Amino acid sequence: MALNTQRFLLALLLLGTAVFVTIHAQEVGISEGRSRNSCKCECEGGEAPTEFSYIGSGSMVKGVDCMPECPYHKPLGFEAGSVSPDQITCSNQDQYTGWFSSWLPSRARLNSQGFGCAWLSKFQDTSQWLQIDLKEVMVVSGILSQGRCDAEEWVTKYSVQYRTDEKLNWIYYKDQTGNNRVFFGNSDRSASVQNLLRPPIVARYIRILPLGWHTRIALRLELLICMKKCT
């Protein structure tokens, strides 16, 4: 009798282990599927993205607190033109006269072509920046960058700052070790390089701070806005 009881308990233990392994494998599969799905840049089939809900004009954004990365991304509108010139500013902008007046920060638009197809920094040092005013607090989930369309000039690496209000101090986007995150940019003038933000940034103001460049600080840009789902 004791032997039969031991065999019965052993069978139950093995069955429980098999069920656990099966459930775990299913959960891993679901997790991996979501991870692969989360890097889409547009909704499929021409569907319209559904945006996150914003609570007031502050930094509270419903639905993003527990989301380490965004399920979907939508271009803010640099390339499409819905981002207005007054939303894009840069360091030392009051000195952009003469030839440099054709290379204002408002020219920093992804895939822009022709003369004046990028923002060119008048000075080549790590004190320069490009700033975007989103006009309201948004969830920024990625950055696409390009170099100048008609010359071998581009940004090779950069850091990011943000804030929800102009009266607040700038905050550096950090890496997992708590250091200022360094994003790797371009290696030629034409290809666009995408850097997704995990976790995304909740802010109204974004600054791109070039840390390295080829020949000259030159930048074309698009920001990605985090979308909760497609409907």
Side-chain angles (χ1 to χ4, degrees), residues 102-156:
S102 299
W103 303 91
L104 290 168
S106 58
R107 303 299 184 98
R109 298 177 184 273
L110 197 74
N111 295 322
S112 176
Q113 299 296 321
F115 182 73
C117 63
W119 166 56
L120 295 185
S121 176
K122 188 169 184 178
F123 303 100
Q124 313 307 311
D125 58 58
T126 55
S127 298
Q128 307 309 306
W129 45 262
L130 183 78
Q131 178 176 313
I132 302 95
D133 179 0
L134 304 174
K135 298 297 187 183
E136 62 179 312
V137 174
M138 293 186 178
V139 185
V140 180
S141 58
I143 302 167
L144 281 76
S145 65
Q146 280 178 314
R148 179 178 169 180
C149 71
D150 58 352
E152 301 298 312
E153 300 173 358
W154 55 81
V155 172
T156 59

Side-chain angles (χ1 to χ4, degrees), residues 74-83 87 132-134 138 140 222-225:
K74 175 187 176 182
L76 177 63
F78 277 75
E79 182 177 6
S82 54
V83 175
Q87 288 181 255
I132 302 95
D133 179 0
L134 304 174
M138 293 186 178
V140 180
E222 183 67 84
L223 293 185
L224 299 177
I225 302 302

Side-chain angles (χ1 to χ4, degrees), residues 90-107:
C90 71
S91 50
N92 306 297
Q93 189 165 334
D94 58 338
Q95 299 183 37
Y96 277 59
T97 59
W99 182 81
F100 270 96
S101 63
S102 299
W103 303 91
L104 290 168
S106 58
R107 303 299 184 98

Side-chain angles (χ1 to χ4, degrees), residues 57-72:
S57 59
S59 61
M60 294 180 64
V61 182
K62 183 178 179 182
V64 77
D65 294 339
C66 299
M67 186 174 291
E69 59 183 271
C70 291
Y72 299 96

Side-chain angles (χ1 to χ4, degrees), residues 191-206:
S192 63
V193 174
Q194 175 180 280
N195 281 298
L196 295 181
L197 302 173
R198 300 185 177 105
I201 292 173
V202 178
R204 173 177 169 174
Y205 300 95
I206 303 290

Side-chain angles (χ1 to χ4, degrees), residues 12-52:
L12 283 178
L13 178 61
L14 292 174
L15 178 61
T17 301
V19 171
F20 171 80
V21 170
T22 301
I23 293 174
H24 177 69
Q26 291 174 346
E27 290 176 344
V28 169
I30 292 173
S31 175
E32 290 177 349
R34 285 176 180 168
S35 178
R36 287 192 296 270
N37 192 47
S38 68
C39 292
K40 294 180 180 178
C41 292
E42 300 269 6
C43 296
E44 293 181 344
E47 298 171 324
T50 298
E51 298 186 19
F52 284 98

Side-chain angles (χ1 to χ4, degrees), residues 41 52 63 79 91 137 175 186-187 191 208 211 214 231:
C41 292
F52 284 98
E79 182 177 6
S91 50
V137 174
D175 60 23
N186 299 86
S187 56
I208 310 298
L211 300 176
H214 182 271
T231 57

